[in-house]
Amino acid sequence: MNELEIELLKLIERNANLEADKIAKLMGKDIEEIRELIKELEKKKAILGYSTLIDWAKVLDKEEVTAMVDVKVTPARGVGFDKVAERIYRFPEVKAVYLMSGSYDLSVSIKGNTMTEIGRFISEKLSTLESVLSTTTHFVLKRYKHDGIILEDNDEEDKRIVVSP
Amino acid sequence: MNKVSYISRNVAELKPSGIRRFFDLAAQMDDVISLGVGEPDFVTPWNFIEQSFHALEQGYTSYTENAGMIELRKEISSYLQKSFRLDYSPDDQVIVSVGASQAIDLALRTIVDQGDEVIVAEPSFVAYAPAVRLAGGTPVTIQTQPEYEFKLQAHQIEEAITPRTKAIMLCNPNNPTGTFLSGDELAQLAAVIERHDLLVLSDEIYAELTYDETYTSFPSIDGMKERTILISGFSKAFAMTGWRLGYAAGPSEIIAAMVKIHQYTMMCAPTMAQHAALEALKNGKPSVQEMIESYKQRRNFIVSSLNELGLYCPNPGGAFYAFPSIKATGLTSAEFAEQLLQEEHVAVIPGDVFGESGEGYIRCSYATSLKQLDEAMNRMKRFMEKRV
Ligand SMILES: Cc1ncc(COP(=O)(O)O)c(C=O)c1O
């Protein structure tokens, strides 16, 4: 990965909405070169998709519920944790799965409409998987910062005086 | 009682800065996009702020040594070594000041006798000439020229020198032009300076903010260290304008004299700011690097946009200012800036407030968010379409 690619990725990581002509101007390149580069990065799967960070709490009456579940599992011969991880991440309710060091194995993030719904998913689908030994569920009460973005940031306003030497 | 008559002649004769009038105009409007701000748009990196909280919690609320905390002077000394290969002893060759502004004032008061001349290359930071006057000296201005991209030429220094010339102010990269002088270009100036035995006040507060070539610090040029007072600070590269923290480094005799004035008129720079600066030098490099990358991108953006609008603008090598020509419009700098502000609510600074040869140019700071810059360029496009 060269410097140019890294610079471009950092720019669109912060703002997937940035148009190619602006990227070109910012990086001092021409627009065709930037379009080419983006295509290549998509092909290489360095860029996996473009998503929008939404604060659903501002839109829906009913807030979504998120739970982080610590899962202990028995790894399977030959495939280690990968097989059981796949069994878990295939469920659409599951938004993220990470293999962890420490006192449990998989960290699973689950979204649902209510706590009951998530509870049912865990007791019926997740903990009944053969290799799952135990689960510990933590419900998210409030999101302060997500993916590097502070949610209730009232600090956007420019506090500088309008003209200075 | 005629109160005005009590004001010293020196102060009474000082012209108020041309920036001030613009401030008053712009401050009355809402939805102004300001490209008139001479400071970073970034808030101070959190770890610097947090270190200052910590120091306050620990009870560091008293004066420090006059020259600044020794730990900070040591960090400044090692930073200058690592970044610019400069050797200054933290014990007697560094002073921590209240912004680079105070370091400039201290340096001038230290070296200027009544009537001494100090050469100032304009367009320049607006404080230089008044600071020379307040120190009792006479500023002798040189007008750098657009055909040399506002780079100071050795022959211009030669022509400005008189038997009363004591020192010259250099600023690299320059505010307001963004002009960057390379090591070779500085060496040519150094030759004249040495021949005429001048002292140099080298304002290098934008030294970190250079985007194309490697930076040469003036005192690192052969023979220049002994005749240079290096001036810098935390305001720009470290995004710490409001903390009011700067420093000077130079020959121990001169620094000692500066400390003498400082001890009687200031005591020391703010303690909590010194603690934040310590963190900035120890652990601030990644944040500084990130800001530099962002300024460079925005520099590219504004320069290509201005040129597209027909406002000719060569690529400035440093600082965070673009200095495009507005001559194509037939307007003066002041007319352009005023009309742009009234019609499109975009604030820029007319170039002539920084010196005569800035007439026909405007200073646009690109230390503002891309979103704002983009909107400013759209508004300026509309403004230009009505005129050319
Ligand atoms: C060239 C130059 N020198 C010095 C200063 C003053 O900086 P400080 O905030 O450190 O006093 C400025 C600020 O605008 C500047 O542009």
Side-chain angles (χ1 to χ4, degrees):
Chain A
M1 190 99 1
N2 62 33
E3 267 176 44
L4 211 61
E5 292 175 317
I6 292 170
E7 187 179 353
L8 177 115
L9 290 172
K10 277 162 73 182
L11 274 172
I12 57 176
E13 184 181 31
R14 280 190 293 260
N15 179 8
N17 212 10
L18 200 59
E19 298 96 333
D21 64 326
K22 295 222 177 83
I23 299 173
K25 270 190 180 178
L26 287 164
M27 293 178 54
K29 300 284 165 203
D30 61 65
I31 184 161
E32 281 317 315
E33 192 179 341
I34 295 299
R35 288 209 176 104
E36 239 0 87
L37 201 54
I38 292 176
K39 254 189 239 151
E40 250 169 65
L41 288 163
E42 288 171 345
K43 212 154 53 184
K44 274 200 253 182
K45 297 230 180 248
I47 299 174
L48 295 165
Y50 301 87
S51 70
T52 310
L53 189 63
I54 297 169
D55 189 352
W56 283 109
K58 291 231 169 74
V59 191
L60 302 175
D61 298 338
K62 209 165 40 180
E63 270 181 58
E64 267 194 325
V65 184
T66 303
M68 319 276 278
V69 189
D70 308 343
V71 186
K72 283 189 187 160
V73 301
T74 349
R77 187 133 179 190
V79 288
F81 294 98
D82 297 354
K83 201 74 204 162
V84 55
E86 183 178 352
R87 278 297 292 277
I88 296 172
Y89 68 61
R90 290 283 174 199
F91 287 109
E93 294 88 337
V94 172
K95 300 302 172 192
V97 177
Y98 308 109
L99 178 62
M100 310 297 285
S101 68
S103 59
Y104 59 95
D105 305 306
L106 297 173
S107 172
V108 177
S109 148
I110 300 169
K111 273 198 184 146
N113 292 317
T114 61
M115 280 167 78
T116 325
E117 193 180 298
I118 289 182
R120 193 177 314 127
F121 174 80
I122 292 168
S123 59
E124 289 176 7
K125 300 286 199 297
L126 189 59
S127 47
T128 52
L129 287 173
E130 206 180 323
S131 31
V132 170
L133 299 172
S134 74
T135 61
T136 311
T137 304
H138 314 273
F139 284 102
V140 174
L141 301 180
K142 182 168 179 178
R143 293 203 302 175
Y144 291 100
K145 188 175 183 181
H146 185 80
D147 269 354
I149 293 177
I150 297 170
L151 280 103
E152 291 287 332
D153 204 352
N154 302 319
D155 264 13
E156 287 265 299
E157 146 209 21
D158 196 338
K159 297 186 178 68
R160 299 174 300 168
I161 54 174
V162 282
V163 170
S164 60
Chain B
M1 178 182 179
N2 178 6
K3 282 141 197 140
V4 173
S5 71
Y6 286 84
I7 295 171
S8 86
R9 190 166 327 133
N10 205 8
V11 173
E13 283 171 359
L14 219 54
K15 277 201 304 253
S17 160
I19 284 188
R20 183 72 223 173
R21 202 173 62 86
F22 244 77
F23 174 77
D24 294 339
L25 273 176
Q28 292 161 8
M29 289 177 185
D30 41 318
D31 82 323
V32 171
I33 295 183
S34 184
L35 307 183
V37 189
E39 61 178 321
D41 58 318
F42 297 104
V43 171
T44 306
W46 179 251
N47 57 318
F48 311 176
I49 298 176
E50 200 270 345
Q51 185 61 38
S52 181
F53 288 168
H54 180 66
L56 287 170
E57 277 169 355
Q58 298 286 305
Y60 287 103
T61 57
S62 43
Y63 297 130
T64 69
E65 272 181 77
N66 293 132
M69 298 186 325
I70 184 66
E71 299 90 323
L72 178 57
R73 282 181 281 143
K74 279 185 181 154
E75 283 300 328
I76 291 171
S77 163
S78 98
Y79 162 80
L80 292 174
Q81 169 60 40
K82 273 186 244 151
S83 305
F84 310 111
R85 280 181 281 130
L86 294 168
D87 281 310
Y88 286 108
S89 156
D91 296 320
D92 58 0
Q93 298 189 313
V94 176
I95 175 175
V96 178
S97 59
V98 180
S101 300
Q102 192 217 356
I104 294 166
D105 183 41
L106 288 177
L108 287 167
R109 283 201 274 163
T110 295
I111 62 166
V112 170
D113 276 315
Q114 198 69 34
D116 280 350
E117 293 177 1
V118 177
I119 297 175
V120 174
E122 291 185 341
S124 76
F125 178 46
V126 295
Y128 295 157
V132 172
R133 284 207 191 283
L134 287 170
T138 307
V140 172
T141 55
I142 293 176
Q143 301 300 320
T144 58
Q145 296 301 322
E147 48 277 34
Y148 299 112
E149 292 174 35
F150 293 102
K151 289 179 180 178
L152 178 60
Q153 303 295 305
H155 71 86
Q156 292 185 296
I157 302 181
E158 198 91 57
E159 286 154 20
I161 289 172
T162 75
R164 301 235 49 177
T165 309
K166 192 154 207 180
I168 177 167
M169 291 269 347
L170 295 179
C171 182
N172 186 36
N174 189 43
N175 174 9
T177 55
T179 302
F180 170 88
L181 296 174
S182 69
D184 287 344
E185 287 162 337
L186 290 169
Q188 288 172 21
L189 306 184
V192 183
I193 285 164
E194 189 156 36
R195 195 161 349 111
H196 292 275
D197 206 16
L198 302 184
L199 207 65
V200 177
L201 270 65
S202 188
D203 183 344
E204 307 193 3
I205 196 164
Y206 293 105
E208 291 272 6
L209 308 182
T210 59
Y211 310 115
D212 307 310
E213 293 172 55
T214 49
Y215 185 77
T216 304
S217 174
F218 192 77
S220 73
I221 294 170
D222 255 0
M224 288 301 111
K225 191 179 161 217
E226 59 166 354
R227 57 175 72 252
T228 303
I229 307 174
L230 170 68
I231 287 162
S232 192
F234 295 88
S235 285
K236 313 294 172 166
F238 296 90
M240 293 179 69
T241 44
W243 300 79
R244 310 308 305 126
L245 209 68
Y247 56 89
S252 53
E253 298 83 350
I254 291 180
I255 296 298
M258 287 170 68
V259 171
K260 197 156 68 177
I261 306 177
H262 187 65
Q263 108 193 334
Y264 289 129
T265 56
M266 192 62 70
M267 310 271 280
C268 67
T271 303
M272 51 290 246
Q274 293 192 49
H275 281 276
L278 203 54
E279 172 69 13
L281 291 179
K282 281 184 177 161
N283 300 312
K285 202 165 170 90
S287 320
V288 171
Q289 223 47 51
E290 226 173 88
M291 293 191 269
I292 293 172
E293 180 167 320
S294 167
Y295 289 133
K296 179 177 180 177
Q297 290 169 343
R298 290 181 279 168
R299 190 254 338 229
N300 296 343
F301 182 83
I302 197 171
V303 169
S304 80
S305 305
L306 289 167
N307 281 306
E308 280 169 19
L309 298 185
L311 297 171
Y312 171 71
C313 182
N315 212 15
F320 35 59
Y321 307 109
F323 203 63
S325 165
I326 49 115
K327 289 177 182 161
T329 61
L331 301 171
T332 66
S333 299
E335 286 164 353
F336 184 98
E338 226 155 285
Q339 292 174 20
L340 182 64
L341 184 62
Q342 301 290 2
E343 288 173 34
E344 298 291 348
H345 295 196
V346 174
V348 298
I349 314 262
D352 62 312
V353 310
F354 304 99
E356 272 164 49
S357 60
E359 177 50 52
Y361 295 80
I362 52 171
R363 189 190 76 174
C364 305
S365 164
Y366 50 83
T368 193
S369 70
L370 179 62
K371 203 166 138 196
Q372 294 272 61
L373 269 186
D374 192 33
E375 175 59 18
M377 291 302 118
N378 290 336
R379 294 186 190 184
M380 281 172 81
K381 181 161 187 243
R382 208 157 51 199
F383 180 85
M384 289 299 289
E385 279 164 359
K386 286 189 224 152
R387 281 169 178 80
V388 276

